[in-house]
Amino acid sequence: MEIKTLETDILIIGGGTAGCYAAYTLGRICEAKVLIAEKANIKRSGCLAAGVNAINAYIVPGKTPKDYVEYAKEDAKGIVREDLLLSMSEGLNEVTKELEHHGLVILKDENGNYQTRGNRNIKINGENIKPILADMAMSKEQISVLNHVNITDYLVEHNRIYGAVGFHVDQKVAYVIRAKAVLIATGGAAGLYRPNNPGFSRHKMWYPPFNTGAGYAMGIRAGAEMTTLEMRFVALRCKDTIAPTGTIAQGVGAGQINAFDENYEKKYGLATCERVYGTTKERKEGRGPCYLETIAITKEQEADLYKAYLNMAPSQTLRWIESGKGPAKENVEIEGTEPYIVGGHTASGYWIDNHRQTTIQGLFAAGDVAGGAPQKYVTGAMVEGKIAAEYMAEYLKETKQAVVQLKEQADSYLKEYELYFKNQNQMIDCEQMEEAMQKIMDRYAGGISTDYQFHERYLKIATEQITQLENHVRFLQAKSMDDLLQIYELKERLTVCLSLIKHMKTRKETRWPGFTEYADYPRVSHNYEVYINSYLEDGKRKMRCRKLVGAQDWPVVFRFDDAGTLIYGGDSL
């Protein structure tokens, strides 16, 4: 492989929502040289690639940022970082205004005010939201983009980051990128579990199938502390199309009903996890299928739904048209998806301080990979990108860090790429291993087939079998760069799976029924009103409990000594 060595002040890994807004912010506040490495193309990558029809995190008139913190805290049953939520919430409206200034169409009423959708949402025409963000990110000459480059490993020495290594997904080119500070913004992890739609349609899922947990995996391998991975996310979606249900529930006020037209929402609770749990429980007890009750909506409301879904999930609109039965004629059947690890909806991700710095000095995290602040959605990810960018700029001034080569470490990662091309006579291919992983996770780690339940003995089996798969990855063969990409995406998922299982086993309670249901411990326990954190040390996953952080504790800032060792990373138990 051809090897290219690049140097920059700041490396942003992932050109999605948080990465783009971080680059945009850096271009406005400093003259640092910034490089964005994006696995796809920044114009249409990440969760916003297909567009979105609402801003789901916005402080509407009559509400305050503290109200948003309380909403997110209640929805997550108390396991949140209130300090992170507050600093995020305070910036939601500012970044929304900035998006509108750059061309995002926000719908307005007859008085010129934003059209609200519920207590925290506003309506938009968002098909082009990602190209807008990409243009914002690239608006300054100091910002450059490496499209189609997959970053696989950090360059870390003495708990300080000095860059990363990756490869081009189409060309036989490897990259060694040296940087003074790094922002990880790659998104969460999909594809760990067997999805709703198997085989050819397995990509039809709630979260982008190309978000494989790469950022989590790199951090785990480098020894970064991770938090609350056990708070998995299961989305409630329209059956088969896996289109969003919130657009219907909030847009036209449709309630959840069972096959006997009984509304079951209040029976189980209105938290996000409880909506999924109720749907699963009703079906399991013979009262399914379950639906969103839309038959009573007006033709005007139906037309609005057709348009809304064309902006983000056109398969749902096409299904209505093809069947000749729109939502005004037929209730919309709903179901839960497979579990995901995603810090934009739950508190899963890197353990970070209020500056969004991780426990590795110089490595910052924003968006879906950043833990502690659920319900951040699009605008919350943008705010985190902005906060990280502001403190990265300060970090460059304060540390005056020289770029360290770490050539031996970089060479070891490059040799690993070459080994996959040299492997011969493999007995199993990457796709078969991925299916095996998903089957193991589904059966033994609380997937769809077990109604999201798991037992301690099942988790033990899952650990053993996922470890066996991970040990076999080194024998896989790559015949093209696309093969190499798939191998590394599998490696990333397997790494995340093992950490996830460890977290699930450690929290001996069921705090989020519908998301994570520990059958051995079916109730909430006050002993687990803590953050469950993990880190890799000498090849072994170590667990740590940390005290809950309230808004009054802001700001929590990590401290490192001159050697890069973390000397304060939050209060441990």
Side-chain angles (χ1 to χ4, degrees), residues 25 101 107 114 116 152 197 210 213 255 288 302 317 332 338 345 372 379 417 435 439 448 572:
T25 302
H101 174 72
L107 304 186
Y114 291 159
T116 59
T152 63
N197 301 303
F210 315 105
E302 183 179 59
T317 300
V332 178
E338 75 278 18
H345 286 66
T379 42
Y417 300 162
E435 289 182 2
K439 182 178 179 181
I448 294 173
S572 298

Side-chain angles (χ1 to χ4, degrees), residues 274-529:
E274 290 165 342
R275 290 181 179 277
V276 177
Y277 176 72
T279 303
T280 304
K281 191 79 169 175
E282 290 293 296
R283 177 194 56 75
K284 190 176 179 181
E285 295 184 354
R287 293 184 292 275
C290 295
Y291 304 89
L292 286 172
E293 189 175 19
T294 57
I295 285 180
I297 68 174
T298 66
K299 284 294 181 184
E300 183 180 0
Q301 287 176 313
E302 183 179 59
D304 286 344
L305 289 179
Y306 279 134
K307 181 180 178 182
Y309 280 100
L310 280 175
N311 268 332
M312 57 170 179
S315 58
Q316 184 62 39
T317 300
L318 293 173
R319 178 173 181 167
W320 282 328
I321 293 172
E322 184 181 34
S323 67
K325 294 179 181 179
K329 291 184 179 180
E330 186 175 70
N331 292 327
V332 178
E333 188 175 349
I334 55 177
E335 64 181 354
T337 63
E338 75 278 18
Y340 302 89
I341 310 303
V342 50
H345 286 66
T346 66
S348 305
Y350 281 83
W351 181 248
I352 55 175
D353 69 7
N354 212 262
H355 298 169
R356 273 56 182 183
Q357 186 169 206
T358 72
T359 55
I360 295 176
Q361 190 172 12
L363 175 64
F364 294 74
D368 281 346
V369 291
Q375 314 294 3
K376 60 175 70 102
Y377 305 116
V378 175
T379 42
M382 291 166 61
V383 175
E384 287 199 327
K386 178 176 182 289
I387 293 171
E390 290 170 345
Y391 284 101
M392 289 171 86
E394 290 298 315
Y395 176 80
L396 292 186
K397 291 179 186 176
E398 293 172 2
T399 61
K400 302 189 185 311
Q401 177 178 305
V403 175
V404 176
Q405 299 296 314
L406 297 184
K407 187 176 185 306
E408 186 176 337
Q409 188 179 135
D411 286 347
S412 69
Y413 296 135
L414 298 176
K415 287 177 182 176
E416 191 175 87
Y417 300 162
E418 296 286 359
L419 285 175
Y420 289 111
F421 287 103
K422 293 178 180 178
N423 283 342
Q424 299 291 326
N425 303 319
Q426 63 176 7
M427 299 296 293
I428 187 171
D429 63 29
C430 198
E431 185 171 341
Q432 291 169 325
M433 283 188 67
E434 182 177 285
E435 289 182 2
M437 172 195 70
Q438 291 177 345
K439 182 178 179 181
I440 293 164
M441 294 297 289
D442 179 69
R443 181 69 182 87
Y444 297 113
I448 294 173
S449 69
T450 61
D451 297 317
Y452 313 115
Q453 288 188 342
F454 52 89
H455 297 268
E456 191 162 352
R457 62 185 181 277
Y458 280 13
L459 294 180
K460 184 174 183 294
I461 295 171
T463 301
E464 292 169 353
Q465 295 191 2
I466 294 295
T467 301
Q468 288 175 4
L469 288 179
E470 187 179 53
N471 292 337
H472 196 85
V473 168
R474 67 182 186 273
F475 300 115
L476 290 173
Q477 180 185 13
K479 297 180 181 179
S480 66
M481 295 307 293
D482 186 61
D483 288 346
L484 188 64
L485 174 64
Q486 290 187 45
I487 289 171
Y488 272 85
E489 289 181 337
L490 174 65
K491 283 182 63 175
E492 291 153 6
R493 287 179 166 124
L494 290 167
T495 297
V496 175
C497 282
L498 288 171
S499 287
L500 167 61
I501 294 166
K502 188 78 170 176
H503 275 253
M504 291 166 66
K505 186 176 181 180
T506 303
R507 183 175 287 280
K508 291 178 169 52
E509 65 166 356
T510 296
R511 185 169 291 265
W512 309 286
F515 286 1
T516 299
E517 201 169 343
Y518 205 156
D520 298 325
Y521 306 95
R523 285 175 288 278
V524 172
S525 169
H526 293 299
N527 294 331
Y528 287 92
E529 289 178 351

Side-chain angles (χ1 to χ4, degrees), residues 18-55:
C20 280
Y21 207 84
Y24 170 68
T25 302
L26 287 163
R28 297 177 69 188
I29 65 173
C30 69
E31 297 180 356
K33 186 179 176 184
V34 179
L35 176 63
I36 304 172
E38 167 56 50
K39 182 166 70 171
N41 187 298
I42 193 172
K43 285 283 188 180
R44 285 287 183 187
S45 63
C47 298
L48 295 183
V52 67
N53 70 353
I55 295 296

